[in-house]
Amino acid sequence: MAQTKDRTGGTLRFVLGDQLSRDLSALDGADKDRDVILIAEVGAEASYVRHHKKKIAFLFSAMRHFARDLEGAGFTVHYMRFDEGVASLEDALKRAIDEHAPEAVVMTEAAEHRVLMMQKEWRDGVGLPLTVLPDARFFCSHKRFKEWAGENPKSLRMEYFYREMRRLTGYLMDGDAPEGGKWNFDHDNREKLPADLKAPKRPTYAVDDETRKVLALVAEQFEDNFGDLEPFDYPVTRRQALHYLDWFIETALPNFGTYQDAMRQGEPLLFHSNLSGLINCGLLSPRECCDRVEEAWRDGAVPINAAEGFIRQVIGWREFIRGIYWLKMPDYAGSNALSADKKLPDFFWTAKTEMNCLKQSIGETKANAYAHHIQRLMVIGNFCLLAGLDPKEVQEWYLLVYHDAYEWVEMPNVVGMILYADGGFFASKPYAASGAYIDRMSDYCGNCRYDVKKKNGEKACPFNYLYWDFLLRNRAAFQKNHRMGVIMKSLDQMGEDKIDAIRRDSRRFLDQLS
Ligand code: FAD
Ligand code: DLZ
Ligand code: SF4
């Protein structure tokens, strides 16, 4: 990379769009007089997949507000706006080096493999000292995860990792023992939603001048991308994010655990936190969220199953998923253990389907760039698995539709959790379910043109025959899975007529999809 000016002696600190934290390692010891902080809206990152319009708007607005907060605190920030035509992160870096002629460059390691590879190339080619620091916002370092996983692990289980993380962080611990007498209260977290229990009303955040400019930019430049841009009411500043966290802890957290698996038509969030986007882009740290949740439990404001449920998702699942990603990349991206190859149906983009559960979950995704975990896993994900959709297409869809989506967290959830495409590296059996599960956990089936109680025929819920067809298609892969022994035995005992009907219905349904 060429340098055109004499060095001014300061450090250039390059902060990526998902690193919007004041305590970021790249900002450690920043000198307000000599250093320049670089933040850039760049073409390549905004378009390597066709992100949901709200995802781009959320991130650009959060980046702009973060830059303004840094300036307010006395730092020098070079913020490159999208309309300056910066092609890529490398282009941004080159332009900033040319303009500011720094002595050195510092950055925090990228969360995605693709971007970390770029950082390594820059380190070798930039022509001045470039340091890539670890991302200390995660609880578990890469080294620690590798040590925990051991040499060439054949499979890993979140539950054991989670216990290590409880010991490491001390969350909900009483000495060496878990508070409440057990590690995991998941069993208490599968209640059906009582009809008279209302979901709390979320706070909304007014669009200010800066966000208005971002919305105009996205409307113009990303007109054909997926999703609804407005209404836009996300928190986009650190102050708003903290306000939202307070609201969640006081209002939704008490019921978070108990109704974690429930779904209700017209209620996209129920008691879920919707904190993922704020945590992943850096406006909130996972540590402060967990600290606050534990504090609420110690104060007697929330039950143990709520506090443990939330903390498990963050120090357990979130960290575990990241560990798997870095352990398995880059080959993980190409996993396809079940040789699934169907194209994504059109209704993934339009939400126009007669399957009401999918219509609701994809419709809410389109409107909000958000769906909660059970919609992602047991409705949309379950369909992708049973229908045999191509893992590459499914990965791309999940990466672009959610405002919290970055490859490090999306990929293991898609490849390992919903598609079993890694052959069960961390899921002991596939998350496959018939319509009965969706009926038990939601009110979707009551409003559907299909009949969830019917197993075969034109009116039958497609999940019912697709479930068995999936098992028939993949019999060899699951025959030896001891957790599937009972279900595979039912398959072995199934009569030929029944099998024919399942195959016929599935073929008819899948053919009309394409
Ligand atoms: P809550 O239910 O309130 O959970 C609290 C927090 O726990 C979340 O904010 C999140 O930080 C963490 N968490 C919970 N489950 C997971 C998990 N499986 N993996 C990682 N973190 C978890 N999450 C993302 O942040 N980005 C993604 O791109 C993403 N893609 C997913 C794709 C699929 C197929 C599936 C099944 C899950 C995916 N998740 C992803 C995980 C999870 O669904 C979301 O984190 C969650 O729905 C976000 O909503 P929330 O903040 O209301 O979560
Ligand atoms: C997702 C995203 C988008 C849409 N735009 C930018 C951007 O303009 N500038 C930037 O620095 N980062 C952006 N990101 C996040 C990156 O694509 C990438 O996901 C993270 O930096 C993780 O490594
Ligand atoms: Fe979904 Fe089947 Fe229920 Fe319809 S009947 S909402 S397709 S589970």
Side-chain angles (χ1 to χ4, degrees), residues 7-12 34 101-105 128-129:
R7 290 186 186 152
T8 52
T11 298
L12 180 69
R34 300 169 55 195
E103 278 274 279
V105 180
L128 68 170

Side-chain angles (χ1 to χ4, degrees), residues 249-402:
I249 296 208
E250 279 161 27
T251 319
L253 180 63
N255 277 323
F256 170 85
T258 310
Y259 304 112
Q260 210 176 336
D261 287 5
M263 297 172 280
R264 181 186 279 167
Q265 185 152 334
E267 293 289 357
L269 280 147
L270 290 174
F271 301 98
H272 287 270
S273 69
N274 200 3
L275 286 170
S276 51
L278 297 170
I279 298 175
N280 293 351
C281 82
L283 283 186
L284 291 176
S285 83
R287 200 175 302 274
E288 72 192 332
C289 294
C290 291
D291 286 353
R292 293 289 317 280
V293 168
E294 176 170 47
E295 199 181 289
W297 174 72
R298 293 205 182 274
D299 290 348
V302 305
I304 184 85
N305 68 313
E308 189 280 321
F310 182 89
I311 287 175
R312 172 158 33 88
Q313 302 310 315
V314 177
I315 68 168
W317 277 113
R318 186 172 185 271
E319 297 282 330
F320 181 72
I321 286 287
R322 175 185 186 246
I324 299 280
Y325 176 76
W326 285 102
L327 202 65
K328 295 294 234 175
M329 278 304 275
D331 295 347
Y332 205 52
S335 310
N336 192 359
L338 301 181
S339 304
D341 60 1
K342 289 240 160 9
K343 297 265 163 263
L344 218 61
D346 270 358
F347 67 73
F348 272 66
W349 306 111
T350 61
K352 287 188 183 141
T353 163
E354 292 183 304
M355 298 173 75
N356 191 41
C357 52
L358 285 166
K359 180 178 166 181
Q360 298 304 323
S361 304
I362 296 173
E364 286 169 5
T365 299
K366 191 162 173 278
N368 308 322
Y370 174 87
H372 71 65
H373 187 62
I374 297 302
Q375 294 174 307
R376 295 188 203 196
L377 178 69
M378 296 309 296
V379 178
I380 308 173
N382 187 23
F383 180 83
C384 296
L385 174 73
L386 300 189
L389 304 189
D390 180 341
K392 281 276 184 204
E393 296 216 357
V394 180
Q395 280 180 58
E396 182 170 328
W397 188 82
Y398 274 95
L399 183 57
L400 72 85
V401 300
Y402 295 115

Side-chain angles (χ1 to χ4, degrees), residues 158-178:
M158 198 289 290
E159 185 59 30
Y160 302 114
F161 170 76
Y162 169 53
R163 291 178 194 183
E164 287 281 306
M165 295 302 289
R166 287 276 292 276
R167 290 191 189 96
L168 173 75
T169 60
Y171 284 129
L172 301 177
M173 294 297 288
D174 177 10
D176 287 339

Side-chain angles (χ1 to χ4, degrees), residues 382 386 432-439 452 455 461 463-465 467-468:
N382 187 23
L386 300 189
S434 67
Y437 174 86
I438 295 172
D439 192 29
V452 72
K455 308 288 178 222
C461 166
F463 280 105
N464 291 345
Y465 45 79
Y467 174 76
W468 291 106

Side-chain angles (χ1 to χ4, degrees), residues 54 166 173 247 273 353 386 392 411 414 447 469 476 511:
K54 264 196 179 111
R166 287 276 292 276
M173 294 297 288
W247 176 87
S273 69
T353 163
L386 300 189
K392 281 276 184 204
M411 188 186 288
V414 169
N447 299 313
D469 189 57
D511 283 353

